[in-house]
Amino acid sequence: MKKILAAICLFAALMGTLGCGSSQNAGSKPAEKKELIVGTEPSFAPFEFPDKKSGELTGFDLDLIKALGKKAGYDKVTVKGMGFDALIPALDAGNIDAAIAGMSITDARKQKVNFTDPYYESGLMAIVGKDNTTIKSLDDLKGKTIAVQLGTTGAEAASKIEGAKVKTFDTSDTACLELKNGGADAVISDLPVLQYFLKQGGSAYAKAVGEPKKGDMYGIATAKKNKDLCDKLNKALNDLKKSGEYQKIYDKWFK
């Protein structure tokens, strides 16, 4: 009897161990993340900016990333505001999953992050004081003081202008304020951003000059180690375009 009881106990112990092991192996695969954490620079209207009434972030990029997150299967999209030049380091550190902030796809940036397919075609534009009659194009900015947003393609373009003094600011808004206060001769920034700025009251003291430089393409960035997310967002973007949802979002902000 003792031998039989011992055998039963040993068998039960073995089954319990195997059962636990089987359960652990089955559950060892990490649960798929259901929250998408996105970084943006929240002063780049009409792409991302605080609503004047609610204070909540709004804009084309915000509407788009929320729709993309939902399409990609995320339960929640959380947006974090930060400086534009802090976005790529935040991706590298894993503090955010993706960045959407009117970010132009450039060769230099592609060495640091993965980009989705382009979701918007932009370009560069210059504005000067409304009463300025001497600056009529980018060629006339040689030796002038130019205000730009730090880390942008506008800042890169300004740095290539012969003899120009380039003043960098954390946001496009503060660069425009420098022009208003007489601290700069011009601002170079993204075409749709400055167009929106002029329409929203900036034309009271500023005007566009020269022909805009088209061809900048905006993309959503993910960390180099997170190509799976980039692929997932690409598929979601393609689905939104096919369904017509992307066009509805675009028309809301730009039609």
Side-chain angles (χ1 to χ4, degrees):
M1 182 60 74
K2 288 181 179 179
K3 290 182 178 180
I4 293 173
L5 288 173
I8 292 172
C9 289
L10 178 61
F11 178 74
L14 285 171
M15 288 300 292
T17 302
L18 290 173
C20 291
S22 175
S23 174
Q24 287 173 351
N25 289 334
S28 62
K29 186 179 179 181
E32 190 172 348
K33 189 174 180 181
K34 288 299 181 181
E35 180 183 15
L36 181 67
I37 301 175
V38 181
T40 192
E41 194 284 291
S43 62
F44 206 61
F47 294 92
E48 40 271 319
F49 62 101
D51 182 86
K52 290 181 179 179
K53 293 182 179 179
S54 67
E56 295 293 322
L57 289 183
T58 187
F60 174 71
D61 281 354
L62 274 294
D63 284 354
L64 180 61
I65 196 63
K66 288 174 184 177
L68 289 173
K70 183 177 180 181
K71 179 64 70 174
Y74 290 92
D75 294 333
K76 183 180 180 182
V77 175
T78 299
V79 179
K80 292 184 174 182
M82 59 187 68
F84 187 83
D85 59 331
L87 290 169
I88 291 178
L91 285 171
D92 289 339
N95 295 329
I96 55 175
D97 302 312
I100 185 168
M103 186 180 290
S104 298
I105 300 171
T106 66
D107 290 338
R109 287 174 182 158
K110 283 195 290 186
Q111 293 178 12
K112 300 176 181 178
V113 298
N114 294 313
F115 276 109
T116 63
D117 294 334
Y119 68 87
Y120 185 90
E121 182 179 2
S122 181
L124 291 178
M125 177 178 176
I127 61 171
V128 299
K130 189 175 182 179
D131 299 326
N132 189 307
T133 58
T134 59
I135 300 175
K136 298 177 181 179
S137 70
L138 291 177
D139 292 334
D140 297 326
L141 292 177
K142 294 178 181 178
K144 303 296 185 182
T145 300
I146 306 170
V148 298
Q149 182 179 358
L150 185 66
T152 63
T153 50
E156 183 181 353
S159 69
K160 296 177 181 178
I161 296 176
E162 183 183 343
K165 178 183 178 182
V166 181
K167 290 185 175 181
T168 58
F169 298 87
D170 289 336
T171 69
S172 180
D173 289 346
T174 50
C176 290
L177 185 61
E178 185 72 1
L179 173 66
K180 181 180 181 180
N181 292 336
D185 299 305
V187 173
I188 297 179
S189 189
D190 289 46
L191 171 63
V193 172
L194 290 183
Q195 286 178 327
Y196 187 83
F197 161 76
L198 292 174
K199 288 180 181 179
Q200 296 298 311
S203 59
Y205 66 87
K207 64 181 180 181
V209 291
E211 288 294 323
K213 290 187 175 181
K214 298 282 284 183
D216 276 359
M217 308 302 288
Y218 289 169
I220 302 165
T222 68
K224 277 290 187 183
K225 59 189 174 185
N226 202 355
K227 188 177 182 301
D228 287 346
L229 175 58
C230 190
D231 293 341
K232 188 181 291 188
L233 291 174
N234 258 337
K235 183 180 183 307
L237 179 59
N238 188 51
D239 290 345
L240 288 187
K241 288 182 176 180
K242 285 182 177 179
S243 69
E245 189 173 352
Y246 171 90
Q247 191 63 45
K248 289 180 181 178
I249 297 171
Y250 183 94
D251 288 346
K252 173 183 174 181
W253 292 101
F254 301 109
K255 188 169 182 179

